[in-house]
Amino acid sequence: MFIFYCPRRLNEVEMEKIGRKKIHGHLDITQLSTFSKEDLIDKIIALQCHNVELKNIIAKSQQRNQKRSYPPQKPFDFTRCKFRHVLLQVLYLGWDYQGYACQEDSLNTIEHFLFEALLKTCLIKDRQSSNYHRCGRTDKGVSAFGQVISLDLRSNNHDLDREINYCIILNKVLPPAIRCVAWCPVSDNFSARFNCTLRKYKYFFPKGFLNIQVSYII
């Protein structure tokens, strides 16, 4: 604990004398100019002592906070959990991200934040054991409204009406530009990558002053 030293403690007579000069009030230059040299010295000493008292109070409070110890949080016990193989439909606006797939030199990817949310909500133990597959990937700045992934998620092992609401749980911790919009159960051997039969891409370009022909394809 740090104790700060006050150079001199004023006696009651000195404090009463300074009090008459409104030591605790706001004093402008005109009022201070009426103080004698001795009064100004006493005022400075009183303010220093008051500052020392505040520092000691803060130091004691910090020391009490440092002594507080909290028991470590127990790791989530996945051995007691059931799992369900599901499809998740993910929507994201990719303008501020470096693409969908994880990268070695950047954490700013859709997949990184998606797995961060899955781990934070304890829906998976880790990526390696989650049986994860993605339908496709997008490049930097590209958005997707129907990205689909398949993986094993923690389950209540109940019927669908009583199952964990995966979308609500994930959307609470996902960035605003990434949303889980739907989910459904699938067979254990279903893969969002290898069982995909169709991928549909739409490209939107702002026309602005570009010399391009606009056509609508249905």
Side-chain angles (χ1 to χ4, degrees):
M1 181 177 67
F2 297 97
I3 301 296
F4 298 90
Y5 172 70
C6 178
R8 182 168 72 88
R9 182 175 294 276
L10 302 180
N11 57 42
E12 295 181 359
V13 176
E14 291 173 321
M15 290 299 295
E16 183 180 357
K17 178 181 177 182
I18 297 173
R20 290 197 298 268
K21 296 293 186 177
K22 300 180 180 180
I23 186 172
H24 297 296
H26 176 72
L27 300 176
D28 56 25
I29 296 178
T30 303
Q31 292 173 311
L32 289 173
S33 63
T34 63
F35 278 51
S36 66
K37 180 179 179 180
E38 291 77 11
D39 289 340
L40 289 173
I41 293 174
D42 290 339
K43 178 175 175 60
I44 292 172
I45 294 175
L47 291 174
Q48 287 178 336
C49 291
H50 182 65
N51 189 38
V52 166
E53 291 177 358
L54 291 177
K55 287 183 177 180
N56 286 332
I57 292 173
I58 294 173
K60 290 179 181 179
S61 176
Q62 291 176 342
Q63 187 182 39
R64 286 195 298 268
N65 292 335
Q66 291 175 356
K67 289 182 178 179
R68 293 177 183 174
S69 60
Y70 300 94
Q73 187 175 3
K74 294 182 179 179
F76 194 87
D77 187 5
F78 284 95
T79 61
R80 303 175 61 182
C81 299
K82 301 293 184 179
F83 289 87
R84 186 193 295 274
H85 195 58
V86 304
L87 287 181
L88 290 180
Q89 183 179 355
V90 182
L91 175 154
Y92 56 86
L93 303 177
W95 302 316
D96 298 325
Y97 296 94
Q98 301 295 316
Y100 176 83
C102 287
Q103 302 176 21
E104 294 182 357
D105 58 347
S106 176
L107 298 178
N108 189 32
T109 65
I110 303 297
E111 202 169 50
H112 167 79
F113 288 104
L114 186 59
F115 270 96
E116 186 178 65
L118 290 166
L119 292 169
K120 185 179 295 184
T121 54
C122 296
L123 291 178
I124 64 171
K125 181 180 180 180
D126 51 50
R127 176 168 178 164
Q128 291 72 23
S129 62
S130 65
N131 193 19
Y132 169 76
H133 290 95
R134 56 176 177 252
C135 179
R137 64 172 70 189
T138 51
D139 294 330
K140 176 181 178 181
V142 178
S143 302
F145 293 165
Q147 174 68 279
V148 177
I149 62 175
S150 60
L151 73 171
D152 297 334
L153 297 183
R154 176 169 56 88
S155 170
N156 283 336
N157 200 28
H158 295 145
D159 55 74
L160 293 181
D161 293 335
R162 302 173 60 187
E163 183 57 282
I164 298 172
N165 196 322
Y166 299 119
C167 293
I168 291 180
I169 291 178
L170 288 172
N171 288 337
K172 287 182 179 180
V173 295
L174 281 169
I178 306 174
R179 299 286 90 182
C180 178
V181 295
W183 75 274
C184 69
V186 290
S187 59
D188 292 341
N189 60 352
F190 188 91
S191 168
R193 177 185 178 187
F194 298 109
N195 292 102
C196 176
T197 58
L198 175 68
R199 293 183 178 90
K200 186 175 183 179
Y201 297 88
K202 287 186 178 182
Y203 296 90
F204 299 88
F205 299 92
K207 183 176 184 298
F209 297 101
L210 298 177
N211 185 20
I212 58 176
Q213 182 179 0
V214 179
S215 62
Y216 299 91
I217 302 176
I218 300 177

